[in-house]
Amino acid sequence: MLDVMKLWSKWQSLMKNKGRLSDLGNQRANFIARLDTLFDIGAPDAIADIMNSRLLSDEKKQDDIDFYEDQKI
């Protein structure tokens, strides 16, 4: 909940400057990137776990990684 409140506060400050043509420090892009990862509940080391699995073939590992990355979008 704190992350949502921080993002809302940041959004309010960005809205105050919405008429500016310059984006100092790339603040808008950073806000969008942070917003995209707000509800990312995937395991942070999922790809490493897949790669370290001895039970999967290389082709199956790549399939699992592709599926995982596709679900994040």
Side-chain angles (χ1 to χ4, degrees), residues 23-72:
D23 186 13
L24 299 176
N26 222 7
Q27 292 179 1
R28 289 184 183 102
N30 291 339
F31 175 77
I32 292 171
R34 177 111 188 250
L35 190 62
D36 286 340
T37 61
L38 179 64
F39 294 108
D40 183 16
I41 58 171
D45 59 346
I47 294 176
D49 288 343
I50 293 170
M51 292 304 294
N52 291 334
S53 175
R54 295 182 296 151
L55 302 175
L56 300 174
S57 66
D58 289 338
E59 182 180 322
K60 182 64 176 159
K61 287 179 186 180
Q62 189 59 44
D63 288 343
D64 288 351
I65 291 171
D66 291 341
F67 178 77
Y68 177 75
E69 289 176 349
D70 185 47
Q71 294 301 308
K72 287 176 63 173

